Amino acid sequence: MTITLQSLASDRWVTPTTGFVDIPSAVDGRVVARLSAAGLDFARMASHARNTGGPVLRELTFHARADKLRALAVHLGQHKDVLYRLAGDTGANRRDNAIDIEGGIGTLSAYASRGRRELPDAKFALEGEVEGLAKGGTFVGQHLLSPLHGVAVHINAFNFPCWGLLEKFAPAFLAGVPVIIKPATATAYVTEALVRLMHESGILPPGSLQMICGSVGDLLDHLTGQDVVSFTGSIETSNRIRNHPNIAKHSVRFVAERDSLNASVLGDDVTPEQPEFALFIREIVREMTVKTGQKCTAIRRILVPKTREAAVIAALKASLAEVRLGDPRVDEKVMGPLVSRAQRAAVCGQIAILLSEAEIVFGDPGQRGGEGIDAESGAFISPVLLRVVDPATAQRVHDTEAFGPVATVIAYDGIDQAVDLARRGEGSLVASVFTYDRKVAEAIVLGIAPYHGRVLIVDRDCAKESTGHGSPLPSLVHGGPGRAGGGEELGGLRGVYHYMQRTAVQSSPGRLSALTGAWCNGAPTSLADVHPFKRNYDELVVGDTIETSSRSITLDDIEHFAEFTGDTFYAHMDEVAAKANPFFPGRVAHGYLILAFAAGLFVDPAPGPLLANYGLDNLRFLKPVSPDDSIRVRLTVKQKSPARKPEYGEVRWDVEVINQNGEPVARYDLLTMSARAA
Ligand code: NAP
């Protein structure tokens, strides 16, 4: 039965009636689904996102949005079978689909955790420390990040119908920006099912997610400077969208993840007997065949030392000969077809271009047969390994992406040439280097790093746990410079920041503290009548402060501390040697002694709501403390953040240790857990 795909516009499912495009199964060519965006009101969709989705999302804090992402991940995990069932027709086998489906759900969870851990329970985030902007300390500044008031338009590639949506949706949602997604036609039936699950979960606020099945119509004409277009796909389409007159006119933020001629380099230290050689061969074959080579991170260029070229080709041929083409719906060990016959025609066209400077050493693009497969109607193709004839002059291999199970061996003569060849890709998502030699690793990594978003060094020590050449991790950069996207740093919180504006706020310390809810030096304090450690989390007020009595530090204290801890560093023990040191006037107290005495001054000893001290941040020793100096402490509530458990919250305290002349000798943030009100 052919599925008629619906679009999700203004929180309603819309069924098209005209202008259908058929989507064939990659495996047997039967029409799986049809779609059309005819009749959608794109301007209305954009305004629904801005006027309904945006305001509701911005009412939530980062933590509330993170909690929704987690709930969504759980919901999708419970209902993922429907996605697996549909994805069989995309040509991917079950293992490939796990990368897409489980990987996508895992990415949602990862963003949920990071949002909880690294973003505040607030509607905006602060970046960096407060900076003094004038000598007298009455004018300060800080960067504030707040969600854009627009819509994120996500135009996605066909190869990851689930992960592609979720890895872009999660950061936008976490930032507080509603999304309109446009999946690629070839696999839109899987994405539509995913969006249906997300919508039906009831977890997402109205207007936060819409979907266009079919073309984007005139949507780009309605975008403004508060909107973001995030594109994944080919460089040609990317350029077309980037150069759209309205995108240029309104400086609409444009983020691109595009095709990438990723390289893998075998170091010239590696002999066929070393484990790195076998690891290299295994990784190349895996990258050529997982998802039938339709991965933006797949290895396209295989750089090997000239002296090892024959051995590498022989080993690759032996491994590729074991790859079986087959129906991925029934056997998860086979390599399935490309996503469509149109894609196969495109790949064959790209191989023809590569053949102007390379020869085929394995495979035959014309071979489409295999066990129990429909060679006529399906989009099958065998793996194809090419070898560049003259590496010094070849150029097509560095700019032609055959988006299928196709890679090319390029022999290099010396590490300098290997680096030069890798750079000719003009910017890639990822490169991998297989070596067990420190110098080789250093020369290649430093030589190619500016041209790559990610570089992976693989050797026998990390091979077991390495996630491999092709797997981006949600916590690290995904994206690449130059043709791979243009220097956009995606992944981690950087991905979230794309949907927020960074604003420098400048004011008096008091105004800034009132705005941000975080006390800063110079902002008013109120002297607490009760020791703040006796107050529970909810009773504490940012700016509450106490000043302790003072105590002197004697030479006996210093010697006692030195003997007790074993820290007999000369600056504490030897007057002559300490004096010769440019930082000290003579023997001085240990920094750790100052910290310990400071705690002795401010701690309230009785059991109470303060549960634990879990660390110090930003510790600086500002001035030496000499024997017979005295110190006192000013302790101020700096910031409060609820913890994941409702029983307690995190409190950040500003601790200033001051000497007898009123000069600060140490400053740090003390981090504690304090119990909440019952
Ligand atoms: P594509 O042909 O460029 O299409 C990408 C998306 O753009 C599809 O959703 C497509 O919709 C849409 N599109 C096409 N023309 C458009 C227009 N004029 N206005 C607005 N949208 C338009 O790429 P693809 O074949 O789907 O994907 C394969 C490519 O993606 C490869 O080159 C691969 O390297 C790249 N990729 C890169 C990354 C990365 O992270 N760098 C990740 C995945 C894939 P229709 O399908 O409806 O035409």
Side-chain angles (χ1 to χ4, degrees):
M1 197 189 73
T2 303
I3 314 166
T4 298
L5 302 186
Q6 295 178 301
S7 291
L8 181 62
S10 306
D11 296 306
R12 281 182 30 251
W13 289 99
V14 180
T15 311
T17 52
T18 57
F20 289 106
V21 172
D22 287 341
I23 310 175
S25 160
V27 188
D28 55 26
R30 79 182 196 290
V31 176
V32 180
R34 53 184 198 156
L35 57 64
S36 165
L40 287 181
D41 185 341
F42 298 99
R44 189 155 169 255
M45 288 178 77
S47 93
H48 182 68
R50 286 189 200 110
N51 301 326
T52 303
V56 185
L57 281 175
R58 292 197 297 275
E59 268 310 299
L60 303 174
T61 64
F62 292 107
H63 285 194
R65 290 179 218 133
D67 290 346
K68 285 190 178 292
L69 289 182
R70 181 164 306 283
L72 201 57
V74 171
H75 179 82
L76 294 180
Q78 289 163 346
H79 297 86
K80 62 191 177 190
D81 285 355
V82 59
L83 303 175
Y84 276 101
R85 234 178 357 260
L86 287 166
D89 272 308
T90 66
N93 64 30
R94 196 170 169 92
R95 275 184 302 188
D96 293 346
N97 284 328
I99 301 173
D100 185 38
I101 298 168
E102 316 288 343
I105 296 173
T107 300
L108 274 191
S109 298
Y111 271 106
S113 299
R114 294 200 74 156
R116 264 279 179 181
R117 213 175 39 236
E118 295 171 46
L119 290 167
D121 191 32
K123 296 171 185 174
F124 60 87
L126 298 174
E127 194 184 54
E129 291 297 310
V130 174
E131 291 184 37
L133 301 175
K135 265 195 185 153
T138 62
F139 190 54
V140 295
Q142 190 169 27
H143 285 115
L144 182 143
L145 293 153
S146 55
L148 292 171
H149 285 201
V151 53
V153 175
H154 290 172
I155 300 174
N156 294 344
F158 70 77
N159 56 340
F160 285 108
C162 297
W163 180 79
L165 181 158
L166 295 170
E167 67 127 5
K168 283 160 71 166
F169 172 77
F173 186 87
L174 195 52
V177 176
V179 173
I180 298 177
I181 92 124
K182 184 253 174 289
T185 294
T187 53
Y189 48 94
V190 183
T191 312
E192 195 236 35
L194 172 64
V195 171
R196 208 171 275 286
L197 289 178
M198 292 167 78
H199 183 69
E200 285 170 359
S201 73
I203 293 164
L204 297 178
S208 56
L209 177 64
Q210 299 179 79
M211 175 179 55
I212 298 167
C213 282
S215 105
V216 293
D218 64 359
L219 178 65
L220 303 185
D221 292 328
H222 303 290
L223 301 185
T224 73
Q226 284 293 308
D227 302 319
V228 181
V229 174
S230 174
F231 171 81
T232 309
S234 63
I235 196 161
E236 294 78 19
T237 317
S238 165
N239 286 339
R240 208 170 306 139
I241 297 173
R242 190 193 284 277
N243 296 329
H244 186 283
N246 190 51
I247 302 259
K249 182 175 167 200
H250 292 287
S251 303
V252 177
R253 290 168 195 228
F254 181 78
V255 185
E257 298 174 77
R258 312 190 291 212
D259 48 1
S260 175
L261 279 299
N262 311 296
S264 186
V265 188
L266 182 70
D268 60 3
D269 57 302
V270 180
T271 64
E273 294 71 38
Q274 281 178 242
E276 286 71 24
F277 189 89
L279 291 169
F280 180 70
I281 300 299
R282 195 180 70 187
E283 193 68 2
I284 302 287
V285 173
R286 183 161 72 178
E287 286 294 312
M288 285 178 74
T289 54
V290 167
K291 283 199 74 83
T292 318
Q294 299 165 110
K295 278 197 317 163
C296 54
T297 49
I299 296 167
R300 304 289 170 206
R301 300 178 295 152
I302 307 166
L303 303 183
V304 299
K306 213 168 167 180
T307 49
R308 303 272 177 253
E309 186 184 19
V312 167
I313 290 177
L316 286 175
K317 282 168 77 169
S319 284
L320 288 169
E322 289 174 15
V323 175
R324 288 183 297 123
L325 302 191
D327 185 337
R329 298 170 302 191
V330 294
D331 184 348
E332 69 174 47
K333 297 221 173 79
V334 295
M335 187 177 86
L338 292 169
V339 75
S340 64
R341 279 183 292 161
Q343 185 61 22
R344 182 173 64 190
V347 169
C348 289
Q350 282 139 356
I351 292 173
I353 294 173
L354 291 170
L355 283 175
S356 64
E357 55 191 32
E359 58 184 1
I360 292 180
V361 290
F362 180 89
D364 172 4
Q367 189 225 317
R368 286 139 191 208
E371 302 159 31
I373 61 178
D374 185 342
E376 277 314 301
S377 313
F380 293 89
I381 187 170
S382 85
V384 175
L385 183 69
L386 299 124
R387 169 188 171 271
V388 158
V389 178
D390 180 5
T393 59
Q395 185 47 44
R396 295 290 72 83
V397 70
H398 303 294
D399 61 25
T400 306
E401 183 199 40
F403 202 59
V406 183
T408 307
V409 176
I410 312 169
Y412 69 80
D413 195 359
I415 292 294
D416 287 349
Q417 195 189 19
V419 167
D420 173 56
L421 292 168
R423 288 176 183 166
R424 286 195 210 171
E426 293 187 358
S428 303
L429 292 171
V430 55
S432 48
V433 182
F434 288 72
T435 177
Y436 205 53
D437 182 292
R438 187 181 65 80
K439 284 206 169 117
V440 172
E442 186 180 299
I444 298 177
V445 171
L446 297 183
I448 67 174
Y451 293 74
H452 291 81
R454 183 159 61 91
V455 178
L456 190 77
I457 308 167
V458 185
D459 61 24
R460 63 198 78 169
D461 297 336
C462 71
K464 256 197 184 150
E465 292 198 311
S466 162
T467 48
H469 174 102
S471 309
L473 296 170
S475 56
L476 297 176
V477 169
H478 179 56
R483 74 174 287 136
E488 302 296 351
E489 244 193 70
L490 305 170
L493 288 188
R494 289 269 157 210
V496 181
Y497 293 167
H498 275 298
Y499 300 96
M500 302 208 275
Q501 176 61 43
R502 188 159 163 258
T503 306
V505 179
Q506 297 166 277
S507 73
S508 69
R511 282 267 172 278
L512 190 68
S513 288
L515 178 79
T516 61
W519 182 86
C520 67
N521 200 11
T525 52
S526 64
L527 219 48
D529 43 357
V530 179
H531 191 290
F533 284 11
K534 288 200 168 85
R535 293 203 156 139
N536 67 41
Y537 175 88
D538 298 284
E539 291 164 340
L540 285 171
V541 176
V542 169
D544 274 359
T545 196
I546 52 157
E547 287 207 30
T548 68
S549 55
S550 67
R551 73 164 291 166
S552 65
I553 298 182
T554 65
L555 196 57
D556 271 358
D557 290 332
I558 296 171
E559 287 182 347
H560 176 71
F561 189 82
E563 293 308 324
F564 185 52
T565 61
D567 178 353
T568 52
F569 186 59
Y570 73 87
H572 316 304
M573 307 305 286
D574 180 337
E575 183 68 18
V576 176
K579 249 197 180 121
N581 181 308
F583 294 104
F584 304 124
R587 293 175 72 176
V588 293
H590 304 67
Y592 301 116
L593 172 62
I594 298 169
L595 292 186
F597 279 172
L601 287 169
F602 66 67
V603 154
D604 182 73
L610 192 126
L611 304 174
N613 157 4
Y614 72 95
L616 306 181
D617 269 356
N618 309 321
L619 170 63
R620 285 290 178 279
F621 295 114
L622 303 166
K623 224 177 160 37
V625 172
S626 301
D628 299 324
D629 280 358
S630 62
I631 59 166
R632 64 197 159 91
V633 178
R634 197 176 290 141
L635 178 78
T636 308
V637 180
K638 188 171 181 182
Q639 204 170 2
K640 293 166 52 180
S641 338
R644 179 170 283 194
K645 297 223 166 127
E647 298 91 52
Y648 49 80
E650 299 169 8
V651 184
R652 182 176 285 267
W653 309 76
D654 180 79
V655 183
E656 190 178 25
V657 186
I658 305 153
N659 68 13
Q660 67 281 2
N661 303 320
E663 299 160 323
V665 296
R667 178 159 222 147
Y668 53 96
D669 289 357
L670 166 70
L671 310 170
T672 65
M673 293 290 182
S674 295
R676 310 249 357 204

